[in-house]
Amino acid sequence: MIVRCIQIISPTSGEVVSDHPAMRVGADYPVLEVVTASDRVLFRIPDPADSEPGFFDPPGLWDAAMFTVVSGRLPACWVAGLADGLLTLAPREWQRAGFWEDYFDGVPEAVAEYVRLKADVLAQL
């Protein structure tokens, strides 16, 4: 899925803001994962700097209210997962308990899994 930013909602305050260093109104972004809760939908979007070889800049979770869908094509590697009241659409490997904690802690296996599956998701959009 590819989405276009139509407004920026601060991930820290929840307020609409005029700018953010990782997001630009009018720009298109690939969605790596969709996370839904009873009151909120979030998109995991890679930081543009994340594509630089050897550069670690983790993907962010952004409020879906910031976007409109440009392409609704869903990657074949996405599966639905349900845990702790959250419905997730993402690669199965990212849905295991503790994956994102391992990734953000820099565990080599989790980082390698993210890089591999991110490439797979992006290739299918």
Side-chain angles (χ1 to χ4, degrees):
M1 177 169 29
I2 298 174
V3 295
R4 178 169 296 137
C5 182
I6 56 171
Q7 66 178 346
I8 300 172
I9 299 173
S10 169
T12 53
S13 72
E15 303 278 328
V16 174
V17 296
S18 60
D19 64 350
H20 189 282
M23 195 62 52
R24 196 177 88 242
V25 171
D28 293 351
Y29 297 94
V31 176
L32 300 177
E33 176 181 38
V34 178
V35 180
T36 64
S38 61
D39 62 343
R40 199 164 181 202
V41 177
L42 300 170
F43 294 153
R44 189 172 305 273
I45 294 178
D47 187 295
D50 181 27
S51 62
E52 297 177 29
F55 188 80
F56 180 78
D57 198 0
L61 283 173
W62 296 92
D63 193 314
M66 293 174 44
F67 305 96
T68 186
V69 175
V70 174
S71 168
R73 182 181 174 123
L74 302 179
C77 64
W78 277 12
V79 296
L82 183 62
D84 301 323
L86 300 175
L87 175 64
T88 306
L89 298 174
R92 182 177 314 280
E93 295 86 343
W94 293 356
Q95 296 180 19
R96 77 163 170 80
F99 172 80
W100 288 110
E101 291 82 359
D102 288 349
Y103 172 79
F104 287 112
D105 287 343
V107 174
E109 295 81 11
V111 172
E113 196 71 17
Y114 169 75
V115 169
R116 181 180 71 78
L117 289 166
K118 174 187 158 193
D120 192 21
V121 169
L122 295 177
Q124 296 180 47
L125 298 181

